[in-house]
Amino acid sequence: MTKQVVIVGGGVIGLLTAFNLAADVEQVVVCDKGALGQESSWAGGGIVSPLYPWRYSPAVTALAHWSQDFYPQLGERLFASTGVDPEVHTTGLYWLDLDDEAEALAWAAREGRPLSAVDVARAYAAVPVLGPGFERAIYMAGVANVRNPRLVKSLKAALQALPNVTLREHCEITGFSREGERICGVETVDGPIRADQVVLTAGAWSGDLLRPLGLELPVEPVKGQMILFKCAEDFLPSMVLAKGRYAIPRRDGHILVGSTLEHAGYDKTPTEAALASLKASAIELLPALAEATPVGHWAGLRPGSPEGVPYIGQVPGHEGLWLNCGHYRNGLVLAPASCRLFADLLLGRAPIIDPAPYAPGPRLL
């Protein structure tokens, strides 16, 4: 049995990695340079599907399908054990006026997913607040969204209840401890932490942390801004997406509208230009929002990676160092499958899916 695992990064990927390892590892330590789950895990929308799933590689599709099927039971398990409901909210999703609708339908037929073209009148009947002028719609039933801040709270509570898990917030990693070629722990501002295995789940910061080891991981921060409205609980019965922008209903009437895609380094400052753009998109999708004032506006940093395919597995030539990072726009979507696959690999179990597409070795620069 592995005695101690240190996980660097306390977002949903790091927390769920710890959750999946805890039963089979003597001690798990999760370190985060800030508060747990306050970066992209908090900032995202939480749609349990890639925005345009047919545009991704089979590697992303495989993780997404497994996660989508697993999310309801994960939500129920966390709620039952912690009393904090992650609110896995199944609403379905309408895509409107897609340029690549034929490709989307072909993908759905090939993958056996419940996505189909519908008469646009059906979309307007299902979502009466939808803006005018849309001509075509496709719909996928069963698509849910998860209330990501509550998912973070629920995972944190579940881990705090486990006697062999330690959560260390505001614990910045300054380097890795080495014995020859083996990584045997981490150096922190509070001193070293020894470990049999070290797992990097630090999102957009993962590449920076690896660079002192002579490793170039092509993961970079990609800024995304969102706005939030508060409406009646029944205002928006389904998620809708058009022209790259989406609206997501929460159960209590909050409506998330997002998001921008900006290469601005580590700057997380919300901008007036993005606010204006997002409000315009919100009103085009849902004209009644013209009378509503946003109750929130924020930015987060996605861990951008080539083709959005995460890195999951051990780093060759650096025994004891593992990656579970680089999920780009789909960290919340892919988290259950990514973290289960990761645990399978570290613990030597049969993997849930073929791990080859995510192996760090061939893809590290």
Side-chain angles (χ1 to χ4, degrees):
M1 182 186 234
T2 297
K3 290 186 177 180
Q4 180 150 305
V5 174
V6 170
I7 297 170
V8 180
V12 164
I13 297 293
L15 295 175
L16 195 51
T17 296
F19 190 69
N20 283 349
L21 291 177
D24 297 285
V25 173
E26 287 187 14
Q27 291 290 327
V28 180
V29 180
V30 180
C31 300
D32 196 282
K33 65 182 178 62
L36 294 171
Q38 295 304 297
E39 296 293 347
S40 59
S41 295
W42 184 91
I47 301 176
V48 185
S49 171
L51 291 184
Y52 302 96
W54 53 90
R55 298 178 186 173
Y56 283 92
S57 71
V60 172
T61 297
L63 291 171
H65 286 183
W66 197 95
S67 290
Q68 286 168 323
D69 294 340
F70 186 75
Y71 246 116
Q73 59 181 288
L74 174 64
E76 290 169 7
R77 179 182 173 188
L78 289 171
F79 187 21
S81 65
T82 68
V84 181
D85 187 359
E87 294 188 12
V88 179
H89 183 30
T90 302
T91 65
L93 173 58
Y94 285 94
W95 288 265
L96 304 164
D97 290 355
L98 278 172
D99 292 333
D100 57 351
E101 182 177 306
E103 288 86 345
L105 296 173
W107 170 87
R110 187 170 63 248
E111 297 290 335
R113 305 309 284 181
L115 183 152
S116 59
V118 297
D119 191 292
V120 76
R122 175 181 157 186
Y124 278 103
V127 188
V129 291
L130 192 61
F134 294 110
E135 298 178 351
R136 291 173 291 109
I138 63 173
Y139 177 70
M140 186 151 63
V143 181
N145 66 77
V146 62
R147 196 159 184 170
N148 32 308
R150 293 182 64 86
L151 176 62
V152 167
K153 289 179 183 177
S154 189
L155 282 168
K156 181 178 178 179
L159 291 171
Q160 286 174 324
L162 299 176
N164 65 326
V165 176
T166 302
L167 304 178
R168 296 186 59 169
E169 299 183 277
H170 308 289
C171 179
E172 186 173 356
I173 303 301
T174 58
F176 297 93
S177 305
R178 302 175 71 166
E179 291 179 355
E181 295 301 310
R182 178 173 180 80
I183 303 299
C184 58
V186 295
E187 303 292 331
T188 82
V189 292
D190 301 316
I193 305 174
R194 297 279 297 182
D196 301 297
Q197 313 291 341
V198 175
V199 189
L200 190 58
T201 62
W205 289 265
S206 298
D208 288 350
L209 288 168
L210 284 178
R211 200 162 290 120
L213 295 176
L215 297 169
E216 287 295 328
L217 182 73
V219 171
E220 62 175 348
V222 182
K223 183 178 180 178
Q225 298 190 50
M226 307 272 290
I227 56 174
L228 180 71
F229 296 90
K230 181 65 170 73
C231 302
E233 289 183 14
D234 60 352
F235 173 76
L236 182 62
S238 176
M239 293 180 283
V240 292
L241 191 158
K243 299 181 181 178
R245 296 281 169 85
Y246 51 79
I248 305 169
R250 303 302 198 205
R251 288 178 182 166
D252 63 359
H254 279 99
I255 307 294
L256 282 159
V257 176
S259 65
T260 65
L261 203 62
E262 307 166 55
H263 292 269
Y266 289 100
D267 176 23
K268 292 193 300 178
T269 308
T271 64
E272 289 298 319
L275 177 62
S277 175
L278 289 166
K279 285 177 71 174
S281 294
I283 293 165
E284 184 177 7
L285 269 173
L286 308 168
L289 293 180
E291 306 303 318
T293 300
V295 296
H297 173 210
W298 62 86
L301 300 176
R302 310 174 183 91
S305 60
E307 298 184 0
V309 178
Y311 295 84
I312 305 172
Q314 189 162 203
V315 178
H318 294 76
E319 187 181 353
L321 179 61
W322 299 75
L323 304 183
N324 191 2
C325 59
H327 294 74
Y328 195 21
R329 304 188 77 175
N330 296 309
L332 288 157
V333 184
L334 306 182
S338 296
C339 297
R340 172 65 180 273
L341 174 61
F342 177 85
D344 290 342
L345 294 173
L346 188 143
L347 299 171
R349 302 185 304 217
I352 53 165
I353 58 174
D354 179 11
Y358 320 101
R363 301 167 59 216
L364 285 172
L365 299 181

